[in-house]
Amino acid sequence: MSVIEKILIFGICFPLLFCGVGGFFARNGYIHFKEKIDKKRRCLTQTMGKIVDISSMTTTVNHKRRISYFPTYEYVVNNEIIRIEVKMGTSRCQYKIGDEVQIWYDAVSSHYSYIDSYKEDSIAAIVCLV
């Protein structure tokens, strides 16, 4: 391998690969926070909903098991039952099935909503941005 080929590989390819992977993670963190702010701005109508399911996912990191919880909630708008599964989990289970929760939703697009009291773990999104 010549010196020029080594310079191309180590001087150009590796930094581009590093920036590409970093950009991917930064994009995911940015999208998370942008959507969170957008929901607070757009979802101005409130109603009561109910937690109907809680799914969990177990991961193991450094021989430590970690469980993430993802609630599913339902609410009614114009006689339509809307069911939403939260995509961002938490490390502690905040609700029980059957709990009543305050829901904020967009009057124009009633499937666009969030649980007012849900405190998601934003650490993963912050790490992605960094």
Side-chain angles (χ1 to χ4, degrees), residues 32-97:
H32 167 74
F33 286 112
K34 183 178 183 290
E35 184 175 289
K36 190 174 180 179
I37 291 168
D38 189 52
K39 282 186 178 182
K40 294 277 186 186
R41 185 181 54 80
R42 282 181 47 193
C43 299
L44 302 176
T45 308
Q46 75 181 67
T47 188
M48 293 305 291
K50 186 177 283 192
I51 302 295
V52 294
D53 191 25
I54 299 172
S55 58
S56 63
M57 181 177 68
T58 304
T59 55
T60 304
V61 178
N62 295 332
H63 304 293
K64 292 182 182 180
R65 287 176 40 141
R66 181 179 174 187
I67 301 174
S68 297
Y69 299 95
F70 304 86
T72 299
Y73 59 95
E74 285 184 351
Y75 57 102
V76 179
V77 175
N78 298 327
N79 295 323
E80 176 187 4
I81 298 174
I82 299 171
R83 185 180 180 107
I84 305 290
E85 181 180 343
V86 176
K87 302 291 185 218
M88 189 70 154
T90 60
S91 56
R92 73 176 180 84
C93 191
Q94 297 179 23
Y95 305 107
K96 300 183 305 274
I97 294 175

Side-chain angles (χ1 to χ4, degrees), residues 5-20:
E5 289 173 337
K6 288 180 183 178
I7 290 173
L8 283 175
I9 291 173
F10 293 108
I12 296 174
C13 294
F14 283 137
L16 286 176
L17 179 65
F18 182 76
C19 289

